[in-house]
Amino acid sequence: MRNSYMHIVEFPDGEPVRAFTLLSHSQSTDPTSPYYADYTQAYSDKQWLAFPYTAEDIAANLETSIQISE
C-alpha cells in the first residue's frame, strides 16, 4: 500500500508560520481496531492536524530526543 500524506504550510504576513498535515487513509486495516477509520474520518471532516514547524513549536511539542555524537 502506498502512503498518501498531505502537508500544508502557511506563511501569513506578520504572523507565525502554521503547518498542517493529514494522512489520507487510516492507520489500521483491521476493522476491529480503533484506528481503522480514524484518519479517513478526519479527512472527510477536513480536520487537519497542526504540525510543529518552527523551532519554538518543535521545542514546545517535543516528546523525546536523542543526542547523537561521534
Side-chain angles (χ1 to χ4, degrees):
M1 179 165 90
R2 187 172 186 167
N3 293 330
S4 297
Y5 298 93
M6 294 180 275
H7 305 283
I8 301 292
V9 180
E10 266 186 299
F11 298 91
D13 287 336
E15 295 181 35
V17 172
R18 294 186 292 255
F20 302 90
T21 188
L22 185 75
L23 179 65
S24 63
H25 58 278
S26 293
Q27 297 181 78
S28 175
T29 57
D30 177 1
T32 63
S33 169
Y35 305 107
Y36 177 68
D38 57 349
Y39 277 95
T40 305
Q41 188 62 51
Y43 178 74
S44 176
D45 295 339
K46 298 178 182 157
Q47 294 177 340
W48 292 75
L49 175 66
F51 189 81
Y53 185 80
T54 64
E56 294 81 16
D57 287 344
I58 292 167
N61 290 282
L62 184 64
E63 293 182 21
T64 185
S65 67
I66 297 171
Q67 185 73 26
I68 299 174
S69 62
E70 290 185 36

